[in-house]
Amino acid sequence: MLVKALILAMLAAVLVALGSAVFALLGPRRDHTRMARALTWRIGLSVLLFVLLLAGFASGVLQPHLAVPPKRTVHNQ
């Protein structure tokens, strides 16, 4: 459960960094340096999240599942 909370926190941080970059781009004071810094954070957090997901799947902490479960077949004997 802690791993899932960490993943959600990382996703929230990525969205906050993206929102900060949009505000820096469209805000009253257009600060390109702040926008570039926020986008750099977003990229770094996204890469870290991807690596953590790969490590979670490789170690077995996270279990992938199918979006659409397979159809069950009935075997007549």
Side-chain angles (χ1 to χ4, degrees), residues 11-68:
L11 283 173
V14 167
L15 289 176
V16 166
L18 185 61
S20 176
V22 168
F23 184 74
L25 178 66
L26 301 176
R29 296 180 318 143
R30 294 195 172 143
D31 189 3
H32 295 288
T33 305
R34 198 173 113 215
M35 180 192 64
R37 190 176 318 124
L39 289 176
T40 302
W41 271 100
R42 185 187 72 84
I43 291 170
L45 289 170
S46 297
V47 169
L48 180 62
L49 177 61
F50 185 71
V51 169
L52 287 174
L53 285 172
L54 286 178
F57 287 134
S59 67
V61 173
L62 296 174
Q63 298 287 327
H65 65 280
L66 297 175
V68 178

